[in-house]
Amino acid sequence: MGTGRDRDTTTTEERGIVLRVVSGLHAGAERDLAGSEMILIGSGDDCDMVLADAGVAAHHALLSFVDGRFSLRALDAPLHVGTAMIHPGDPIELDRVQRVGIGESAIAFGAADDAGWERLVPGGLGPRAAPSPPARPYLRRLPLVAGVAVLSLASLAIFAAVMPQREATPDPLEQLQRLVPEYGIDDGQARLDLNGHLVLNGTVPDTATRERIARRLAEEQIDARLELRTGDDIAGDVAEILRGQGIRARTRYLGNGDVEIAGSFDDEAALKAASLSRAMREVKGVARLIPVNVSEAAVARRQQPAAPPKPVRIRIASIVRGDNPHVVSGKGDRYEVGADLPGIGTLVSITENSAHALRADGSLERLKPEPAPSTGENEVEPKDFSNVRSEAAPLRL
């Protein structure tokens, strides 16, 4: 798997912020993340992280780590974050270590010492000390009886070597924990209760998923109690609390503890008070409420202004690689990775083979040097209307 830099030999605690592959063909591979970096992930050879698993698109996702904040955008295909599907479009921000499904692979990113890694991979991903080698046996001349005993032990050893070995009994707690990433259980945790019985906690998207997990436990003969809430359970509890305070709304569980509240809220202060009430805070599985106010007044306040004129597209005169990669426009302006290229998009990567820009519609454009116009470098470059589409601006609520 291409990672863009060699793995070092420092400990997990010294690595700081890391991007790891937690399942799939490349499970266990990782890459350290710098303070400001954009990583293109997919199956294409020009990606910064190349995954060969089935279902991984050529340019599947773009990860941005800037000023300590993670932003993730689906490009050519959807992503799975917890129980939610993220379609290509606007980026989402993740503030903790979470499993991100990419085709039949999965990644996660965050601080190397974050406790969230334990939920994704039982036993964690940290290094373990190698066992000490056994001491060299002391040999001496033995009496006849002792020699016979040694021969008997040797015979037993040969017999044990040729007999099939019985497989070690798997740890039920580890078996239970492995179900968390496999079924995308939000905040999933396998534990022992006060009586020593196995318990699996967390949130699943629906009742069907909970039933599949129950059948799996029966098939593998794991004696455990399921304390799994569904997204429908959580959304229903939120709606009931709002209804008790005179607020009618449609609720929907989005995954990762987020619940959408949609309705006509003329009194936004009352909605805020209900959202921060003690009853709402005690709803298990809710991390954040996302109100969507569809009242006429709220919609009018959020109407988007007319889109500004599209900027003139610059001409890419050259692509410079090396220790300080950048592109140079026809007017001599210099743009580094992360800069906005007028009329094109955001410059996201410069590799040995190519450079890429992320357009406003979420697609990637491969950049290459363009010949200078016949009018000369100092003249204003002509406007390019080839990418202009006649569309009404979307209404964002």
Side-chain angles (χ1 to χ4, degrees):
M1 181 191 68
T3 60
R5 69 177 70 173
D6 294 334
R7 290 276 304 272
D8 57 26
T9 57
T10 56
T11 64
T12 302
E13 290 76 8
E14 293 172 341
R15 289 194 179 103
I17 305 299
V18 294
L19 166 63
R20 287 171 170 159
V21 181
V22 297
S23 70
L25 298 176
H26 311 286
E30 70 176 44
R31 170 193 174 124
D32 299 344
L33 295 182
S36 180
E37 195 167 6
M38 288 186 177
I39 306 296
L40 182 61
I41 305 171
S43 59
D45 293 338
D46 55 345
C47 291
D48 301 300
M49 173 174 277
V50 180
L51 301 176
D53 302 78
V56 179
H59 299 140
H60 204 120
L62 180 67
L63 171 64
S64 172
F65 176 53
V66 179
D67 297 331
R69 301 171 70 90
F70 291 103
S71 177
L72 186 66
R73 182 195 297 265
L75 297 177
D76 294 347
L79 300 169
H80 295 270
V81 180
T83 58
M85 177 179 290
I86 309 301
H87 295 280
D90 294 336
I92 61 169
E93 289 193 359
L94 302 179
D95 56 2
R96 56 191 172 93
V97 173
Q98 294 175 259
R99 182 182 189 273
V100 178
I102 301 182
E104 295 186 5
S105 178
I107 64 170
F109 40 83
D113 57 355
D114 194 301
W117 293 109
E118 186 66 29
R119 298 195 311 271
L120 301 180
V121 180
L125 291 170
R128 294 178 172 83
S132 302
R136 183 178 179 83
Y138 176 67
L139 302 177
R140 61 186 177 89
R141 194 170 180 178
L142 300 175
L144 179 60
V145 174
V148 172
V150 170
L151 290 175
S152 300
L153 290 174
S155 300
L156 288 175
I158 295 173
F159 178 76
V162 298
M163 289 296 292
Q165 299 295 317
R166 179 178 299 177
E167 295 184 359
T169 303
D171 182 1
L173 186 61
E174 290 187 4
Q175 284 183 287
L176 201 60
Q177 185 65 37
R178 292 194 190 101
L179 301 182
V180 173
E182 182 175 344
Y183 288 93
I185 304 175
D186 284 350
D187 296 323
Q189 181 184 19
R191 61 180 179 84
L192 295 174
D193 63 13
L194 296 178
N195 297 320
H197 297 149
L198 286 172
V199 180
L200 181 60
N201 292 340
T203 303
V204 293
D206 47 41
T207 304
T209 303
R210 185 167 56 191
E211 292 175 352
R212 286 198 300 271
I213 296 174
R215 289 196 297 269
R216 176 74 171 272
L217 296 183
E219 293 170 0
E220 298 187 3
Q221 299 182 353
I222 302 176
D223 185 11
R225 184 173 74 254
L226 294 181
E227 293 183 356
L228 298 174
R229 304 200 69 202
T230 70
D232 294 338
D233 294 337
I234 295 174
D237 290 346
V238 171
E240 185 65 29
I241 292 174
L242 294 176
R243 190 160 43 247
Q245 301 190 35
I247 300 173
R248 294 191 174 277
R250 298 185 304 275
T251 57
R252 182 166 63 103
Y253 185 73
L254 303 178
N256 303 317
D258 293 342
V259 178
E260 179 186 86
I261 306 172
S264 181
F265 310 126
D266 294 327
D267 189 351
E268 295 186 359
L271 175 64
K272 183 176 181 180
S275 301
L276 299 177
S277 65
R278 179 177 178 181
M280 192 68 74
R281 292 197 303 269
E282 291 180 352
V283 177
K284 188 175 181 181
V286 175
R288 184 174 56 167
L289 299 178
I290 303 176
V292 178
N293 194 345
V294 296
S295 67
E296 293 183 2
V299 171
R301 288 195 301 269
R302 286 194 292 266
Q303 288 286 355
Q304 296 290 332
K310 185 179 180 181
V312 177
R313 179 186 175 98
I314 65 170
R315 180 177 65 85
I316 303 299
S318 63
I319 300 175
V320 180
R321 301 174 176 85
D323 295 335
N324 188 15
H326 60 276
V327 300
V328 181
S329 72
K331 296 182 179 180
D333 296 325
R334 174 172 159 172
Y335 299 90
E336 298 181 352
V337 174
D340 288 331
L341 303 177
I344 301 177
T346 303
L347 181 61
V348 295
S349 69
I350 298 177
T351 64
E352 294 182 0
N353 300 322
S354 60
H356 288 88
L358 183 66
R359 296 194 186 107
D361 62 1
S363 62
L364 279 180
E365 178 177 344
R366 188 167 185 170
L367 304 177
K368 58 182 179 180
E370 304 168 21
S374 58
T375 55
E377 289 288 333
N378 295 326
E379 296 187 9
V380 177
E381 296 179 356
K383 293 185 179 181
D384 178 9
F385 294 99
S386 60
N387 292 324
V388 174
R389 295 182 298 177
S390 177
E391 294 181 352
L395 178 64
R396 301 183 184 277
L397 300 180

